Amino acid sequence: MNLKSRIREIPDFPKKGILFYDITTLLADAEAFNTVLTRLATPFEGQAIQKVVAVESRGFIFGAPVAQRLHAGFVPVRKPGKLPYKTIDETYQLEYGAGTLCIHEDAISAGERVLIVDDLLATGGTTAATVNLIRKLGGVIVGLALVIELSFLKGREKLPAIPIVSLLTYD
Amino acid sequence: MNLKSRIREIPDFPKKGILFYDITTLLADAEAFNTVLTRLATPFEGQAIQKVVAVESRGFIFGAPVAQRLHAGFVPVRKPGKLPYKTIDETYQLEYGAGTLCIHEDAISAGERVLIVDDLLATGGTTAATVNLIRKLGGVIVGLALVIELSFLKGREKLPAIPIVSLLTYD
């Protein structure tokens, strides 16, 4: 299946000069969505993944079903003020200013084997922050499974030594 | 399985006097999460659901896997500025002020059979807005599948004639 044909390209979103890859057309197609989930999960079968971590909001759409396919628990990483229990936080740089991501302090136990799932790897800032949150809790990051990688933004350089599976690469 | 035992109760979140039902402890338990998804999807098997609609962010965690189980497409409803293509919008009342939800105008075709999935039914404002968005696009709402219903807030009264499956009810 040609998954790129299921992605809608939208110029000038969220601002002029950015070409946005819209996954909603893929999600609307149950068979294409199923293919994506299979390709995200399959490389990590048999690797004893215990927790799948995803960042809100679009990451949840892929992370939750992948967690189920791997018989792993699902852990949401969220923006400040959204998680109700005690959290640890990580701040990262944005193009202008900074962002913060949070995880429940009991979401991952020391030594647990973790897969990160996300829809998109761009500059890698949110993913690197997620990596730091997981490591602060003692989690072992087994890999990162991505739907789309914008390789020209070199996000991988922020994620040394993490095995990465990306389904669609845009140069 | 006693699902209520998997929900963590957090007093005074997001503000004093509110008892918050934290689903992250349930999500971290792959078997409990699987049971929830089975109970959400099973009543709608054989009902020819074509699209599952969920509201960001927690709704995505349940809606996406339920869509896969029903072999239906997944449609996200989001806050303003998040969906990249042309949207239709619906404004609803909050306790203080108003909120707005958006859906892509091509997300649902006239006559398509739609299931709404959400983590929580409280006052019903966001769910009623979602119902209006789906109906504006001509969708046929087959039902609403919920993890938690706060029945004392009477959200059902805003959703007449919609079959509702709720797994956990708190009076």
Side-chain angles (χ1 to χ4, degrees):
Chain A
M1 180 182 290
N2 176 3
L3 291 175
K4 275 194 180 175
S5 70
R6 303 303 202 285
I7 306 274
R8 177 162 52 189
E9 301 189 3
I10 300 189
D12 298 322
F13 186 89
K15 59 185 182 180
K16 195 149 181 71
I18 305 286
L19 179 62
F20 189 87
Y21 296 98
D22 176 16
I23 56 163
T24 67
T25 38
L26 185 152
L27 300 172
D29 176 339
E31 192 191 349
F33 188 19
N34 180 54
T35 298
V36 163
L37 295 170
T38 300
R39 292 186 189 175
L40 291 172
T42 301
F44 298 98
E45 285 172 1
Q47 294 204 45
I49 303 295
Q50 292 164 286
K51 294 282 169 62
V52 170
V53 173
V55 180
E56 73 173 314
S57 293
R58 281 192 301 268
F60 292 179
I61 297 171
F62 299 98
V66 168
Q68 277 289 297
R69 288 182 184 218
L70 295 174
H71 311 291
F74 176 71
V75 175
V77 166
R78 301 201 65 182
K79 287 160 193 158
K82 299 288 189 179
L83 288 169
Y85 190 64
K86 287 174 273 185
T87 62
I88 61 166
D89 305 344
E90 181 79 18
T91 296
Y92 60 97
Q93 295 306 306
L94 293 168
E95 194 179 357
Y96 301 102
T100 299
L101 291 176
C102 309
I103 194 169
H104 274 155
E105 66 175 26
D106 64 349
I108 293 166
S109 304
E112 276 193 317
R113 294 173 60 78
V114 177
L115 172 67
I116 304 170
V117 173
D118 211 346
D119 65 312
L120 180 73
L121 180 65
T123 63
T126 61
T127 308
T130 302
V131 165
N132 289 343
L133 288 170
I134 293 164
R135 288 185 174 154
K136 281 181 185 173
L137 296 178
V140 175
I141 298 172
V142 178
L144 167 63
L146 301 163
V147 184
I148 293 172
E149 180 176 1
L150 305 182
S151 56
F152 59 96
L153 294 175
K154 303 186 191 300
R156 278 178 186 251
E157 295 180 2
K158 290 200 182 74
L159 307 165
I162 296 177
I164 300 176
V165 169
S166 60
L167 307 189
L168 303 173
T169 300
Y170 294 87
D171 295 312
Chain B
M1 179 181 291
N2 177 4
L3 292 176
K4 275 193 181 176
S5 71
R6 303 303 202 285
I7 306 272
R8 177 163 51 188
E9 301 189 2
I10 300 190
D12 300 321
F13 186 89
K15 58 185 183 182
K16 194 150 182 71
I18 304 284
L19 179 61
F20 189 88
Y21 296 99
D22 177 15
I23 56 161
T24 66
T25 39
L26 185 151
L27 300 172
D29 177 339
E31 192 191 348
F33 188 20
N34 180 53
T35 298
V36 164
L37 295 170
T38 300
R39 292 185 189 175
L40 290 171
T42 302
F44 299 98
E45 285 172 1
Q47 294 205 46
I49 303 294
Q50 293 164 285
K51 294 281 169 64
V52 169
V53 172
V55 180
E56 72 172 314
S57 292
R58 283 192 300 268
F60 292 179
I61 297 171
F62 299 97
V66 168
Q68 277 289 298
R69 289 182 184 218
L70 295 174
H71 310 292
F74 176 71
V75 175
V77 166
R78 302 202 64 182
K79 287 159 194 159
K82 298 288 189 180
L83 289 168
Y85 190 63
K86 287 175 271 185
T87 62
I88 62 167
D89 305 344
E90 181 80 17
T91 296
Y92 59 100
Q93 294 305 306
L94 293 169
E95 194 180 356
Y96 301 101
T100 300
L101 291 176
C102 310
I103 195 170
H104 274 156
E105 65 173 28
D106 64 349
I108 293 166
S109 305
E112 276 193 316
R113 294 173 61 78
V114 177
L115 172 67
I116 303 170
V117 173
D118 212 347
D119 65 311
L120 180 74
L121 181 65
T123 62
T126 60
T127 309
T130 302
V131 164
N132 290 343
L133 287 171
I134 294 165
R135 288 184 173 154
K136 281 180 185 174
L137 296 178
V140 176
I141 297 171
V142 177
L144 167 63
L146 300 164
V147 183
I148 294 172
E149 179 176 2
L150 304 182
S151 57
F152 59 96
L153 293 175
K154 302 186 190 302
R156 278 178 186 253
E157 294 180 2
K158 290 199 181 75
L159 307 165
I162 295 177
I164 299 177
V165 170
S166 59
L167 305 189
L168 303 173
T169 300
Y170 293 87
D171 295 315

